[in-house]
Amino acid sequence: MSSSRLALYIFASSGRPRNINFSPFSRFTFLCLSPTSSSYPFLISRCVGAMTSGEAAEETRVGDLPEACLADVIALTSPRDACRLAAVSPSFRAAAESDAVWDRFLPPDYRAIVPMAAAPAAGGKRKKGVYLGLCDKPVPADDGSMMVWLEKESGAKCFALPAMKLSLPWEDGEFSWRWTPHPLSRFAEVAQLVDCTCLDIYGRLPASVLTPATAYAAYLVFGTAEGHRGLSFPDQETTVAVGRRVVARHAVCLRPDDAEARKFRGVGLGAGAGPVRRPARRDDGWSEVEVGRVAADELASGGEDVVASFEVLGWYPKRGLVVECMEFRPV
């Protein structure tokens, strides 16, 4: 395209990329609809130069746009949209895979998470590889005390706090829990409950490390050992709090047992009326139960901690719970 073209780019907030017009005309409108990039329309106009009378008859195609212009616009969408747009044409592919685009999708602190990612790129396409690497494999962060990865579609950060970083009950000192390696765990050790009567588990994460303007859910990731006891009674409760404000509270059961549920129906259900949440089996062999969710506006201040907790309300013997971690993931 001649350097004297006027390009108007309009981005709206829902739907999928459409109306990409390759027919020639001297002024064009490129309309791209992104379902995830924002909740309101973007209007960006770029003046590449004033048109002259001698150029009025020239043909202009979308693919003729400078790569930097295309990259600037694609960076306003989402990782998912960028991958879709890469299939439009070779020029779109070059722009959609450039560092200028994927640098916008990476979190601002990604160099602290993956130090080697700060190295210069060959061919200007290193950042996409860094992004996909962070999506496919969690990496240690905070001196190895937790795992961090990215949700592939949005680029929002996910966190896993290992059992060692959680607050566990220690009523009997070292005899309450046994720290042991586990073949399915991402961490060096997991915590196996040996014996206790009071069971409450807390995980704490600063709201400032979470991806802004993003709702999150907390999950307890666990297993059970042979001979487990006291984990099937329906008097278990989870809460999520931001600072001192409780924003979610639910009744749960780690090892659902319908016979036990009928026996204890209406007894000790501190979470009040409502369905009892059950765990889900994960592809990695662990089970998880959703502790609760926190809305994006609850995290807006960023100066408080998000605290997720699991508690068994009844005072009776419990054993055999294997705690791997607590995860915080975008929803």
Side-chain angles (χ1 to χ4, degrees):
M1 185 182 101
S2 168
S3 62
S4 60
R5 291 295 179 219
L6 174 67
L8 177 65
Y9 305 85
I10 303 177
F11 277 72
S13 61
S14 62
R16 62 180 185 272
R18 61 171 115 163
N19 199 27
I20 301 176
N21 195 339
F22 287 88
S23 61
F25 51 114
S26 57
R27 295 173 184 241
F28 72 87
T29 299
F30 169 40
L31 179 62
C32 176
L33 300 178
S34 169
T36 56
S37 57
S38 177
S39 57
Y40 55 88
F42 285 104
L43 179 61
I44 306 156
S45 43
R46 305 267 177 182
C47 183
V48 187
M51 293 186 65
T52 65
S53 58
E55 296 170 330
E58 292 183 13
E59 292 185 351
T60 301
R61 297 177 182 274
V62 172
D64 294 332
L65 281 172
E67 181 181 314
C69 291
L70 287 175
D72 222 16
V73 176
I74 294 172
L76 294 171
T77 63
S78 70
R80 185 177 187 179
D81 291 334
C83 292
R84 288 173 171 175
L85 289 169
V88 171
S89 69
S91 58
F92 269 68
R93 184 180 303 111
E97 295 184 350
S98 67
D99 275 4
V101 169
W102 291 91
D103 189 61
R104 295 279 292 273
F105 297 151
L106 286 164
D109 60 346
Y110 78 93
R111 289 181 176 86
I113 302 172
V114 189
M116 65 174 294
K125 297 182 180 180
R126 183 181 181 89
K127 300 293 176 64
K128 183 179 180 180
V130 173
Y131 180 94
L132 295 177
L134 285 172
C135 294
D136 294 337
K137 184 178 180 181
V139 296
D142 194 20
D143 296 326
S145 63
M146 63 180 174
M147 292 284 189
V148 182
W149 68 99
L150 302 182
E151 188 202 29
K152 185 168 288 187
E153 290 194 7
S154 68
K157 288 189 288 186
C158 307
F159 297 87
L161 300 179
M164 190 66 73
K165 287 283 288 184
L166 303 179
S167 175
L168 304 174
W170 290 90
E171 60 184 34
D172 297 320
E174 63 179 339
F175 301 106
S176 294
W177 297 89
R178 177 187 299 120
W179 295 95
T180 179
H182 195 287
L184 299 180
S185 180
R186 295 161 288 181
F187 303 99
E189 293 182 320
V190 300
Q192 180 175 332
L193 180 62
V194 177
D195 189 58
C196 75
T197 54
C198 176
L199 179 58
D200 52 351
I201 300 171
Y202 292 82
R204 183 183 300 270
L205 193 67
S208 59
V209 305
L210 301 174
T211 300
T214 303
Y216 274 83
Y219 301 85
L220 178 66
V221 181
F222 69 96
T224 52
E226 186 176 353
H228 63 83
R229 179 183 179 186
L231 304 178
S232 60
F233 298 169
D235 56 350
Q236 304 166 16
E237 180 181 271
T238 60
T239 60
V240 175
V242 180
R244 297 180 179 273
R245 305 185 311 278
V246 174
V247 297
R249 189 188 302 275
H250 302 285
V252 302
C253 188
L254 297 188
R255 292 286 297 185
D257 185 309
D258 291 338
E260 294 290 349
R262 285 192 293 270
K263 185 188 302 184
F264 287 86
R265 183 168 294 161
V267 179
L269 290 176
V276 176
R277 292 189 170 188
R278 298 186 172 215
R281 190 73 171 175
R282 293 161 48 116
D283 293 338
D284 58 7
W286 294 98
S287 296
E288 70 175 23
V289 65
E290 184 180 314
V291 176
R293 301 187 178 193
V294 54
D297 56 354
E298 295 281 356
L299 300 169
S301 62
E304 299 173 302
D305 287 347
V306 180
V307 181
S309 66
F310 164 82
E311 182 177 5
V312 180
L313 304 176
W315 287 71
Y316 45 78
K318 310 166 189 67
R319 66 173 66 99
L321 176 65
V322 180
V323 178
E324 200 226 2
C325 68
M326 189 172 285
E327 292 186 353
F328 293 81
R329 307 197 304 260
V331 293

